[in-house]
Amino acid sequence: MGNNELQNATEPNVEAIQYSKENEELVKNGFWTKMRRFAGKVPFTRDAVAMYYCAMDSKTPLWAKGIAFGALAYFITPIDAIPDAFIAMGFTDDAAVIMAGFRAVSSQVKDEHRDKSEKFFK
């Protein structure tokens, strides 16, 4: 495998990732309201907040912003596979999407994003 092939195998396909201004606006307008309502009730909130700060960071690449805003928009949107009103099960789909998104952008989530997330929970 040549250097270009190896590089392409380890970097996300930027063309395949859709950055959505609509997702960004949805997250900017609704993230904190939903997070304050459910913080501490669902296990993925610290990662979601760290991913939010990563997405808002001007140094974060567009491909990572697209993934982060997409995952966070799914969490915020009231229509999803399992309604959030069912606290015990309602967040399982949200958790799966957040964790997949977080894993995909984890190389872009910096200590400063994690620190800001921890401050939110203090």
Side-chain angles (χ1 to χ4, degrees), residues 4 6 24 35 38 45 50 54 56-57 80-81 86 104 117:
N4 285 343
L6 180 59
E24 180 180 354
M35 187 52 61
F38 292 104
T45 52
C54 176
M56 299 302 290
D57 190 334
D80 55 43
F86 301 111
S117 176

Side-chain angles (χ1 to χ4, degrees), residues 66-116:
I67 293 170
F69 282 131
L72 294 169
Y74 185 87
F75 170 60
I76 292 168
T77 305
I79 301 170
D80 55 43
I82 303 172
D84 295 342
F86 301 111
I87 296 292
M89 291 180 36
F91 287 104
T92 55
D93 59 324
D94 297 285
V97 171
I98 292 292
M99 295 316 299
F102 188 82
R103 214 169 302 134
V105 301
S106 63
S107 65
Q108 301 301 315
V109 179
K110 307 300 181 201
D111 288 340
E112 66 187 80
H113 306 138
R114 288 182 182 89
D115 292 344
K116 287 179 180 179

Side-chain angles (χ1 to χ4, degrees), residues 8-24:
N8 290 337
T10 59
E11 290 182 9
N13 181 351
V14 177
E15 291 83 30
I17 298 169
Q18 284 291 321
Y19 171 79
S20 167
K21 191 70 174 165
E22 291 82 18
N23 283 346
E24 180 180 354

